[in-house]
Amino acid sequence: KMAEKQEEPSNTQNGEPDNAEEGEGKKKKKVKREDLPPFEIVTGERLPAIFFKFQFRNVEYSSGRNKTFLCYVIETQGKESVTSRGYLEDEHAAAHAEIAFFNTILPKCESSLRYNITWYVSSSPCVTCAERITETLRKNKNLHLTIMVGRLFMWEEPEMQAALKKMKSAGCKLRIMKPQDFEYVWQNFVEQEEGEEAKAFVPWEDIHENFQYYEEKLAEIL
């Protein structure tokens, strides 16, 4: 199944997001995940525009937006630099996207290499994922992580605030996505209709106000 996906990265049939999980999906994934080669999983795929427009919207009340979409860029610096990119969503990984990233995309860090990783995520991590990020960064000093988030998740909760502060102290850079960051994701990670000119990114009405709102909240927390 994964191999097929590799050969046709422009999955445009409408059912794709759902049918990827049907039937054998859940059970097999857990068993098989470990023996899949890293980077093969979602590299080269782009997320459907409708998902982007809904999930990445930096609204204040995010009802129904309970999935995490994580687009990543990994620059690995060794003798030569290698850049890879792709996206993960919760459903395909039987775990939150952040944890799935460390389990499947980057299961181990070679100590001789330096990793500069940028995530573009629809919302900031939950407490458990934040703890995993903190722990991974503390263990791997050669791993540098910048997380660009569309919105803050449960930021009023003291436990959440403490988890975000710990991430920061472990060296994680947490930033709120600006309108141009959304545009970057649109251009680099979102499916464009085949045969058409790439559609320009159309910012939603309150994109800038919401960015400023979340940026203030994050500054207060950190």
Side-chain angles (χ1 to χ4, degrees), residues 154-209:
M154 294 184 70
W155 54 268
E156 299 100 330
E157 304 288 328
E159 195 187 7
M160 190 68 253
Q161 297 185 3
L164 294 177
K165 286 185 179 124
K166 275 191 201 140
M167 269 171 45
K168 184 187 178 186
S169 70
C172 179
K173 295 187 174 76
L174 191 59
R175 305 274 183 272
I176 305 294
M177 286 169 69
K178 300 182 168 76
Q180 51 269 45
D181 296 315
F182 288 106
E183 184 168 9
Y184 174 83
V185 171
W186 174 258
Q187 287 168 349
N188 290 281
F189 293 100
V190 176
E191 266 174 17
Q192 304 294 339
E193 292 297 318
E194 274 187 51
E196 284 185 25
E197 284 295 297
K199 289 194 176 76
F201 173 64
V202 181
W204 40 91
E205 205 179 312
D206 42 8
I207 190 169
H208 201 77
E209 290 78 5

Side-chain angles (χ1 to χ4, degrees), residues 46-184:
R46 286 171 169 247
L47 64 147
I50 190 166
F51 284 3
F52 170 82
K53 286 174 181 167
F54 180 67
Q55 296 287 351
F56 270 90
R57 250 189 114 129
N58 56 355
V59 288
E60 189 177 336
Y61 299 103
S62 49
S63 68
R65 294 176 174 82
N66 50 4
K67 271 168 80 85
T68 303
F69 279 88
L70 186 158
C71 302
Y72 60 85
V73 181
I74 306 171
E75 289 173 56
T76 309
Q77 295 167 340
K79 286 198 177 71
E80 41 197 67
S81 292
V82 184
T83 302
S84 58
R85 61 175 67 218
Y87 92 93
L88 276 172
E89 55 186 277
D90 295 346
E91 220 164 76
H92 289 302
H96 281 186
E98 295 92 336
I99 298 213
F101 177 87
F102 292 123
N103 291 349
T104 54
I105 306 298
L106 197 69
K108 53 182 182 293
C109 293
E110 303 293 333
S111 56
S112 59
L113 300 173
R114 180 187 160 99
Y115 300 88
N116 289 330
I117 298 172
T118 307
W119 289 354
Y120 295 87
V121 197
S122 41
S123 69
S124 59
C126 68
V127 172
T128 312
C129 290
E131 283 167 358
R132 174 71 185 271
I133 291 164
T134 301
E135 177 196 327
T136 306
L137 290 174
R138 288 196 172 137
K139 259 193 226 146
N140 303 285
K141 297 294 181 201
N142 55 330
L143 193 149
H144 302 271
L145 178 62
T146 302
I147 306 180
M148 313 291 292
V149 302
R151 13 174 230 283
L152 292 174
F153 173 70
M154 294 184 70
W155 54 268
E156 299 100 330
E157 304 288 328
E159 195 187 7
M160 190 68 253
Q161 297 185 3
L164 294 177
K165 286 185 179 124
K166 275 191 201 140
M167 269 171 45
K168 184 187 178 186
S169 70
C172 179
K173 295 187 174 76
L174 191 59
R175 305 274 183 272
I176 305 294
M177 286 169 69
K178 300 182 168 76
Q180 51 269 45
D181 296 315
F182 288 106
E183 184 168 9
Y184 174 83

